[in-house]
């Protein structure tokens, strides 16, 4: 795990682990099937949620990170042919921060690879690290894990 959650951010983490308990203005979640179209759906879900929250300044960064986290979950954490919706994307908002979190059924930790700028894959977690304030992962009790990225919301006067 890259970082531990500070106690002041506990409401964010509780929302990531149980987004169904959040008020609509503080959290949103969508379940995604093991299909290529899910990456496009993750981007759309992220964009429409951030627009509804009036957080347009985070659109590009969070769309990219959401698509990378969902891609990694589908590529490395979901067995081929898994039925249903094995991946859940959650966006949780609390005061000056927003978390983008992806829950998947695997207990295997995400691995940051050495950058190979010629390869077609392998840079996803480097992008997540570059575009977010912080990122990490937590194992879930029972089975699975959640991989998250934390974003700082600019004060109203500093938004574009």
């Amino acid at each position: 795990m890259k970082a531990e959650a500070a106690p002041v951010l506990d409401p964010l983490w509780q929302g990531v682990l149980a987004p169904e308990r959040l008020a609509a203005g503080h959290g949103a979640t969508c379940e995604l099937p093991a299909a290529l179209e899910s990456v496009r759906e993750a981007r759309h879900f992220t964009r429409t949620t951030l627009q509804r929250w009036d957080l347009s300044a985070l659109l590009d960064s969070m769309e990219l990170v959401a698509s990378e986290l969902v891609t990694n979950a589908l590529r490395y954490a979901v067995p081929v042919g898994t039925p249903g919706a094995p991946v859940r994307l959650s966006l949780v908002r609390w005061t000056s921060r927003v978390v983008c979190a992806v829950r998947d059924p695997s207990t295997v930790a995400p691995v940051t690879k050495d950058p190979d700028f010629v390869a077609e894959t392998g840079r996803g977690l480097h992008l997540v690290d570059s575009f977010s304030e912080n990122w990490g992962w937590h194992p879930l009790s029972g089975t699975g894990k959640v991989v998250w990225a934390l974003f700082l919301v600019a004060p109203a006067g500093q938004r574009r």
Side-chain angles (χ1 to χ4, degrees), residues 107-121:
T107 57
V108 178
V111 176
T112 305
K113 298 177 182 177
D114 289 331
D116 179 352
F117 299 103
V118 179
E120 289 185 29
T121 63

Side-chain angles (χ1 to χ4, degrees), residues 76-77 104-111 137 144-145 147:
Y76 302 112
D104 66 56
S106 173
T107 57
V108 178
V111 176
W137 72 281
K145 70 177 173 300
V147 182

Side-chain angles (χ1 to χ4, degrees), residues 3-75:
E4 293 300 318
V8 72
L9 298 178
D10 280 346
L12 271 175
W13 307 126
Q14 294 307 314
V16 166
L17 298 176
E20 62 279 355
R21 290 191 218 153
L22 293 170
H26 293 288
T29 190
C30 74
E31 296 194 355
L32 301 165
L36 293 174
E37 302 83 42
S38 291
V39 176
R40 183 177 58 238
E41 176 59 28
R43 292 178 74 91
H44 175 74
F45 171 79
T46 300
R47 176 169 289 276
T48 57
T49 301
L50 292 175
Q51 287 172 334
R52 189 172 66 245
W53 291 346
D54 194 27
L55 296 175
S56 297
L58 294 176
L59 282 175
D60 294 335
S61 297
M62 284 192 73
E63 260 189 309
L64 174 70
V65 167
S67 66
E68 290 298 335
L69 294 180
V70 168
T71 297
N72 282 354
L74 294 173
R75 181 173 284 152

Side-chain angles (χ1 to χ4, degrees), residues 71-123:
T71 297
N72 282 354
L74 294 173
R75 181 173 284 152
Y76 302 112
V78 177
V80 175
T82 301
V87 174
R88 181 164 68 180
L89 169 62
S90 298
L91 302 177
V92 180
R93 170 184 174 180
W94 188 259
T95 61
S96 63
R97 289 181 168 73
V98 178
V99 171
C100 174
V102 174
R103 180 183 288 202
D104 66 56
S106 173
T107 57
V108 178
V111 176
T112 305
K113 298 177 182 177
D114 289 331
D116 179 352
F117 299 103
V118 179
E120 289 185 29
T121 63
R123 293 180 297 277

